[in-house]
Amino acid sequence: MVVPFSAGAGVTDIMARLVGQHLGASLGQPVVIENRPGAGGVPGTEAVSKAAPDGYTLLMTNVALVVTPYLYSKLPYDAEKDFTPVTLVNTAPLMLVVHPTVAATSVKELIAYAKAHPGELSFGSGGVGSTPHLSGELFKSLSGIDVLHVPYKGGAPALNDLVGGQLSFMVENMPGTMPFVRSGKLRALAVTSARRSSLEPGLPTMAEAGVPGYEVVGWNGIVAVKGTPPEIVARLHAEVAKILHAPEVKERLAALGAEPVGNTPDEFGAFIKAERARWGRIIKEKGIRSE
C-alpha cells in the first residue's frame, strides 16, 4: 500500500498503517506500507499507476488525487483513467482557528474584520492544493474576503507559526489544533463539516456560523490500478469495510476526529467525481498553480 506522503506526516499515513495492519490479518498475508513522498503526492501516485493490475499494489490517497490535474500542467498519469476506486476509508472535519490577537470571537466577526482590513490577514497551510489550503480558498470565495495564503512544507510548521503569531488563522485538522485551543494559544471558531464534531460539540459548523453552503471534510481512500479484476476490487472493499467498522478501529478513528466510511467502489467513484468538480472550480477561479 503506497502512501504518496512522508511517514508520520499526517492522517493519510496513519490510516494506511491502521488499515494495513488489519488487512494483512484478514487476507492472511503481510501488507507493506511504502511511503513515496514529494511533489504533492505525484511520484507515489505515478508508481501505483504503473503497477500490475492484480490487486497487490494499492494507493492510500486523499484530495491530492483530484486536485493535482488542475495544479500541474502535465502529469505522468491520468488521475481519472488510471485508477479504480476501492473504498472511501474515512472523512474528518477541519477546524477554523485564529490567533488570540485577531479581533474576532466568531466567524462573522472574522469576516467583518477581514472586509474592514483587506489584505491584512493571512492564513497558512501545509502546501498549495492541500485540504487546509483549499478550505481557506473556499472560505475566501464564499465570504468575499481578501486574505493572503502562506504555503508551508507541511501543516506542523504552519501551525507553529500560527501559534507564534506570524499568521492570522488556519483551517486545519482537529487533532493537530485541539491541544493549542485547549491551552488558550489558539481560538476555535467553527468546524468545516455539515454536522458538529463529537470532539467539540459546542463548536458551530461554518454554515451555522454564517457561511451558507460551506462544507469541507478531509478524506482518505483506497484506489487500485485500472484494470484490476472486479472480483478482486470487491474482495478488497469487503475486507476494508469490515475492518473500518471493528470496534477498536472505530475507537481509534474517533480519537482522530474521523468517521469510518467503507462505501462501495461505485459510491467512492461518485464521491471522487464530485470532489474533482468542486475543487477544480475553486482552483480555476482563484488561478492556483503548484509552485
Side-chain angles (χ1 to χ4, degrees):
M1 187 179 293
V2 175
V3 179
F5 309 103
S6 301
V11 178
T12 305
D13 185 65
I14 293 171
M15 292 301 165
R17 294 176 190 282
L18 182 61
V19 170
Q21 171 192 345
H22 292 272
L23 188 60
S26 64
L27 293 177
Q29 69 174 56
V31 174
V32 178
I33 307 302
E34 183 178 338
N35 295 88
R36 290 201 177 195
V42 172
T45 305
E46 178 189 9
V48 175
S49 74
K50 291 176 167 46
D54 54 10
Y56 283 89
T57 305
L58 304 171
L59 178 72
M60 178 67 81
T61 190
N62 60 18
V63 74
L65 182 70
V66 304
V67 302
T68 46
Y70 298 101
L71 298 174
Y72 294 85
S73 56
K74 189 176 181 182
L75 287 175
Y77 55 85
D78 188 320
E80 287 189 58
K81 297 178 180 178
D82 289 348
F83 303 97
T84 295
V86 175
T87 191
L88 180 61
V89 172
N90 73 283
T91 60
L94 288 80
M95 187 160 65
L96 172 60
V97 289
V98 299
H99 190 267
T101 57
V102 175
T105 58
S106 69
V107 175
K108 285 183 178 179
E109 288 181 1
L110 180 61
I111 293 170
Y113 185 91
K115 286 184 174 179
H117 304 82
E120 181 181 309
L121 299 182
S122 61
F123 77 98
S125 79
V128 173
S130 63
T131 301
H133 173 211
L134 297 175
S135 300
E137 294 293 347
L138 183 61
F139 180 38
K140 286 170 60 178
S141 180
L142 293 178
S143 61
I145 59 174
D146 175 16
V147 296
L148 174 69
H149 172 237
V150 184
Y152 288 74
K153 291 184 177 179
L159 197 53
N160 286 338
D161 271 8
L162 176 62
V163 172
Q166 283 80 43
L167 298 169
S168 309
F169 70 91
M170 279 183 71
V171 186
E172 186 53 275
N173 71 71
M174 294 187 72
T177 52
M178 283 307 303
F180 296 111
V181 171
R182 288 176 177 150
S183 66
K185 293 178 180 178
L186 295 177
R187 181 187 303 129
L189 300 185
V191 292
T192 64
S193 48
R195 301 194 314 272
R196 295 192 180 200
S197 169
S198 58
L199 283 184
E200 198 69 19
L203 208 56
T205 66
M206 289 286 282
E208 289 174 329
V211 190
Y214 191 104
E215 180 188 350
V216 174
V217 289
W219 58 269
N220 296 283
I222 297 172
V223 296
V225 186
K226 190 70 175 179
T228 301
E231 62 273 17
I232 292 178
V233 173
R235 170 83 191 280
L236 289 168
H237 161 250
E239 295 294 349
V240 173
K242 189 163 59 178
I243 288 164
L244 292 173
H245 291 89
E248 67 270 25
V249 174
K250 290 177 73 174
E251 187 177 324
R252 180 78 192 282
L253 290 176
L256 294 167
E259 292 188 10
V261 182
N263 57 2
T264 68
D266 285 346
E267 289 168 339
F268 185 31
F271 176 87
I272 290 173
K273 186 176 180 181
E275 285 282 280
R276 184 179 290 121
R278 194 245 298 249
W279 294 126
R281 179 182 63 79
I282 291 291
I283 291 168
K284 288 176 181 177
E285 175 189 304
K286 299 297 182 182
I288 302 167
R289 301 297 293 173
S290 181
E291 298 178 347

